[in-house]
Amino acid sequence: MRQKIVAANWKMNMYYMSGIKLISEIVPLIADEVKGDVKVIIAPPFIHLHSAAQLMYGSKKVFLGAQNCFFEEKGAYTGEISAAMLASLGVQYVIVGHSERRNFFNEDDVIISKKIFRVLEDNMQVIYCCGETSVQREAGKHKDVVAKQIETALFWLSKERMQKIIIAYEPVWAIGTGVNATPEQAQEMHAFIRSLIEKKFGAGLAQETSIIYGGSVTPVNAKSLFSCPDVDGGLVGGASLISSDFISIVKAGE
Ligand code: PEP
């Protein structure tokens, strides 16, 4: 059985007090209402990581994630945060390759691979994001684009390290737009990604790898997306900022 995962990406939202309030709401709600075996990862902005780690302490279902890190170990990199710093706070997952970082911060395959290396070196897990733009999909190139993203970022990893990777398929046209991929589109791409992993790393690892879907997941569409055989949960942006909506989405992953 693959691990079902619902991860929250708060992006650049929530001030100090409102962030603490949101985590304080989510953690007990999950303990009370979520009975199934779904892992919840919350990736707030850096300013919340310390309080979040304390508020999640002891939870068996909720884990701490970060939205980014730098690829160097330490040193004169003003404004950056290292993977080891995150690990020292109790962070267990780091999102790498998000389309917003590819677009706004010019993160290319080299930078992304270095970040993946660093996160794994520091014994955390990677949530690796991939996905095509609407232009690429309309041109019928979506599978080629995603295959290249998967191959360049992940195919140099050992089998052992690949086990620490969660893949998030996030079509760029669905992120923050209110237009989600249909369950059929998501299933088709997730099955394709799994077939790529199978070819490179074997059927066992492919069957064990959690591939989650991201892009305008809401309480209304979560169940139909997460019920697809190759969709192992979701990466949720906007809807993770409202505790009741997020809990409904987590429950759809049970
Ligand atoms: C995301 O940024 O990872 C995301 C999926 O955002 P949203 O749910 O808002 O589309």
Side-chain angles (χ1 to χ4, degrees), residues 9 11 98 100 129 170 174-178 214-217 235-239:
N9 174 13
K11 312 194 189 194
H98 193 284
E100 287 154 15
C129 302
E170 297 209 302
I175 297 179
T177 58
S216 297
V217 175
L235 177 55
V236 188

Side-chain angles (χ1 to χ4, degrees), residues 7-11 95 98-100 129 168-180 213-218 234-241 249:
N9 174 13
W10 288 11
K11 312 194 189 194
I95 299 172
H98 193 284
S99 66
E100 287 154 15
C129 302
Y169 168 57
E170 297 209 302
V172 179
W173 48 270
I175 297 179
T177 58
V179 182
N180 58 285
Y213 166 81
S216 297
V217 175
T218 66
L235 177 55
V236 188
S240 70
L241 301 173
I249 293 170

Side-chain angles (χ1 to χ4, degrees), residues 137 169 173 180-191 213 215 220-231:
R137 179 166 278 267
Y169 168 57
W173 48 270
N180 58 285
T182 63
E184 293 73 25
Q185 288 170 323
Q187 169 56 28
E188 184 189 32
M189 187 61 89
H190 285 230
Y213 166 81
V220 175
N221 61 28
K223 191 83 201 169
S224 59
L225 286 159
F226 299 172
S227 304
C228 298
D230 285 286
V231 178

Side-chain angles (χ1 to χ4, degrees), residues 3 6-8 23 27 30 38-44 52-53 56 58-66 90-93:
Q3 178 67 57
V6 176
I23 303 239
V27 174
I30 286 175
V38 55
K39 180 178 274 189
V40 178
I41 300 168
I42 307 210
M56 289 173 191
S59 170
K60 300 221 169 359
K61 284 198 148 53
V62 189
F63 298 87
L64 191 57
V91 170
Q92 288 176 274
Y93 300 86

